[in-house]
Amino acid sequence: MLEEEIIGCCKKLKLSRNLADMSQTTEGESHQEYLYKLLSAELKNREQGRTAKLINSAGFYSIKTFDGFRFDEITLPSDLAPESLKSLDFIKEKKNVIMYGRTGTGKTMLSTALGVSACQKGIPVKFYRTAALVNQLSEAKKAGTLGTLLKKLNKASVIILDEWGYVPYDRTGAQLLFDYLSEIHEHKSIILNTNLEFSRWVNVLYDEQMTVALVGRLMHHCYLLLFPGENNRLRESSINDLYRSIASTDKKEGH
């Protein structure tokens, strides 16, 4: 069959089967229109595949978008509007974004949404729980594979570090993380989420001079986003508990 021949040609040319599926012409369509339709479909298919690959390799816990995010519940710098943040201009400018606030206030959601949006624009991202990356760096150093891990990290244009300072870190790994973040300073964008004020970062890095140096580099070209709200998960839990309490009371009273 001709369709099978087309599929064979697509394989040899490293084109998607999508072309074979669209190989039927539409009445009144010129050769140029038909060719443009096929080529446009192939480009779209490749773009979708690339986006999916970037998202899968980024390491997100879950996929989040900006839908439903309440920008009115966080404090942005005076020179940064929500639309400007979502445009990802800070990545082009090699600026960092530090999100500070209590646990459960939306830092992970927003950083994930920024990361997913970057992947959709063809920008490679790596997303880590900071403790996990510290452990990987330490283990790679011991195994003699640190160069391989750093090469993998360097493929990304954006590094997202979630849960900075939530748990104590391995000292060797913390030193290696400091070295890496210093190396990529002004070359990549870092998005860092923390509930720890800068004065307590020494508890993460164990060295005062190293802490001062890292804070200075991260803040050199940086947007600081403040999340002053209450824990959203606790708030939602409290609301659900309230609903259940009301329902239980109504049931007892026969309402």
Side-chain angles (χ1 to χ4, degrees), residues 165-182:
Y166 280 34
V167 296
Y169 299 147
D170 172 86
R171 283 179 178 266
T172 300
Q175 174 69 60
L176 291 169
L177 180 61
F178 168 80
D179 292 341
Y180 177 67
L181 294 181
S182 298

Side-chain angles (χ1 to χ4, degrees), residues 59-61 108 126-136 160-164 166 169 177:
F60 302 115
Y61 318 151
T108 299
K126 286 296 180 186
F127 189 110
Y128 288 96
R129 283 188 174 94
T130 308
L133 178 56
V134 167
N135 290 337
Q136 284 187 36
I160 303 177
L161 298 175
D162 196 29
E163 299 180 356
W164 174 275
Y166 280 34
Y169 299 147
L177 180 61

Side-chain angles (χ1 to χ4, degrees), residues 135-147 149 172-173 176:
N135 290 337
Q136 284 187 36
L137 288 167
S138 182
E139 290 168 5
K141 177 72 172 178
K142 293 175 185 176
T145 58
L146 184 59
L149 176 56
T172 300
L176 291 169

